[in-house]
Amino acid sequence: MGGTVAGPHGPVPVRRYAARRETNTGTTLVWLHGGGFFRGTLDLPEAHVVAGALADRGLDVVTVGYRLAPLPGLPAVGRRGSHSRRHHPVPNDDVRAVLEVVRRQTDGPVLLGGASAGACLAAAVTRALPVAARPSGLVLAYGFFHARSPRDPAVLRTVRGHRRLTHHPTLLDRANRNHVGRGGDTVAAFPGGQDLADFPRTLMVDAERDTMRASGDRFADELRGAGAEIERHVLPGARHAFLNRPGSPDSDRALDLVADWTAGSSRV
């Protein structure tokens, strides 16, 4: 079911996916698609199909159509209208507004999660919230979390195909700069390398053959160092964005991991 949530920058599109009654765990997941901060919609398999699959597995899911960053190299395109392109912190404010509404409307645990750029947004929003207002847990799929992508030659050697170029750390860094804009606050936008005290329990599901795994590796270590309860899986042979390939073994495995992990949230 579609709709909007009132946010500080205007209405934020959302879609709600109700869990099957017979499998409902009483837990709600607020879920954010990826797309390098500047692309992606609620129709992506990574949003729509994932939400439906998790609803079938017992979760109520709310997907968020947060505002996207300007197109790299084309900053004037899409700057007008009710859902115009905006730099950080606007997308984070959209996510926070939805999370606050869902928390008010829900009796059970509320989790926050996302894939790729959505995972970064989820972690950054969590870090910015007062501890008492943070979600009960985080679900982070093949995310990147640092303003400057970590360079790990061992990880780079595993990447195949066009992503050796399109996901080269130099281009990822450019997308990150585009997200915050000139003079933007990278400390608030990227949780990696920052104070991660009192983070909620976290599930990370990453792809082995993914440039962004280097950031996931480092962020997982940072969370553990801060005392967070973390469960992490690196899917062997998997490539970035496996949730955008519905029915693939990697996608199905990840969805099962999320369902198993979130089942414990109903007891937290």
Side-chain angles (χ1 to χ4, degrees), residues 196-218:
L196 302 177
D198 299 310
F199 245 60
R201 61 192 293 265
T202 299
L203 172 69
M204 297 178 69
V205 185
D206 290 318
E208 179 187 25
R209 298 181 179 275
D210 183 3
T211 306
M212 299 176 209
R213 178 166 64 85
S215 183
D217 290 344
R218 184 175 296 181

Side-chain angles (χ1 to χ4, degrees), residues 155-185:
V155 172
L156 290 173
R157 284 193 295 269
T158 69
V159 182
R160 299 289 185 268
H162 70 88
R163 287 188 173 90
R164 291 178 64 88
L165 174 61
T166 58
H167 286 178
H168 190 277
T170 301
L171 292 183
L172 297 180
D173 291 350
R174 182 183 178 190
N176 290 350
R177 291 193 299 270
N178 180 67
H179 170 51
V180 298
R182 184 174 297 178
D185 186 354

